[in-house]
Amino acid sequence: MKNILSFIWEITKIVIIALLIVIPIRYFIFQPFLVRGQSMMPTFENGDYLIVDQLSYRFREPQRGEVVVFKYPQNPSQRYIKRIIGLPGETIEIEDGKIIIYQEEERQVLNESDYLPPDISTPGDIQVSLAENEYFVLGDNRAVSADSRKFGPLPRENIIGRVFLRAWPFTALAKFEPPRY
């Protein structure tokens, strides 16, 4: 009987230690995310299993080109994944399939050739001025993506974190860095 109690106590200690390690990592540092849908194709496929870095944005602001997971503004219980295109204080214009970014008096046509095939353009004809703590996000599969063109600017507080790693499928294992513009 003493051996059984000793065994149960050892198992209980292992479970407690494991939980003390895993729970803080899961809730404060990294979080898993499963891609559902085709809005981020060709970058991410339906069923890709991603690891989301929740820690970086506590020390710095999100950058253009980073792929983020966020709470959908119209239903915060849903999680979406999109690419940051516009930063706080900028004006974003979509015209003739191109994205134009206005920073103060500077105009820049966004070059997305690092992550989008040349045959993908951005449908729509809009102009959005972002306030402080607002971001403009787009899916990489522009024709089918529900993004800032539909639901408007993304509030900073809705951002959960940035995509850090694709963990599955294992053959496509990759760490993700934002493109250089």
Side-chain angles (χ1 to χ4, degrees):
M1 182 68 172
K2 189 173 185 179
N3 285 342
I4 294 174
L5 290 176
S6 177
F7 176 75
I8 291 173
W9 174 242
E10 288 300 316
I11 296 296
T12 303
K13 285 193 305 188
I14 290 170
V15 169
I16 290 170
I17 291 170
L19 290 174
L20 288 174
I21 293 170
V22 170
I23 289 174
I25 289 172
R26 164 62 172 82
Y27 284 100
F28 300 110
I29 301 174
F30 293 108
Q31 184 177 126
F33 180 79
L34 183 64
V35 176
R36 300 229 183 257
Q38 300 175 357
S39 74
M40 285 301 292
M41 287 177 64
T43 307
F44 299 111
E45 303 281 334
N46 185 43
D48 282 359
Y49 188 81
L50 309 175
I51 303 298
V52 177
D53 168 11
Q54 299 179 112
L55 193 59
S56 292
Y57 294 156
R58 293 183 186 175
F59 302 105
R60 68 171 180 83
E61 292 301 311
Q63 299 173 12
R64 185 180 339 277
E66 289 181 326
V67 177
V68 295
V69 172
F70 57 92
K71 298 174 196 166
Y72 179 51
Q74 296 175 352
N75 182 356
S77 68
Q78 292 183 0
R79 304 292 185 255
Y80 274 36
I81 179 172
K82 305 292 177 206
R83 187 178 301 275
I84 294 177
I85 299 298
L87 302 173
E90 295 178 338
T91 298
I92 309 300
E93 182 177 4
I94 298 174
E95 182 179 57
D96 298 326
K98 297 192 182 327
I99 300 171
I100 304 160
I101 299 172
Y102 296 93
Q103 297 173 318
E104 297 172 4
E105 295 179 19
E106 187 178 320
R107 177 185 189 269
Q108 170 192 0
V109 176
L110 194 62
N111 178 2
E112 298 181 288
S113 61
D114 283 352
Y115 52 90
L116 290 182
D119 62 328
I120 292 181
S121 66
T122 306
D125 186 21
I126 62 170
Q127 185 171 10
V128 177
S129 294
L130 301 173
E132 289 304 312
N133 294 320
E134 287 185 336
Y135 294 84
F136 192 85
V137 295
L138 293 174
D140 287 354
N141 190 356
R142 304 288 162 80
V144 300
S145 179
D147 46 40
S148 286
R149 293 172 294 173
K150 179 180 178 185
F151 57 77
L154 174 67
R156 169 69 171 89
E157 63 266 11
N158 286 37
I159 297 176
I160 295 168
R162 69 182 177 94
V163 173
F164 175 72
L165 180 77
R166 178 182 12 229
W168 188 261
F170 194 68
T171 55
L173 180 70
K175 181 179 178 215
F176 283 88
E177 296 292 334
R180 303 274 183 231
Y181 295 107

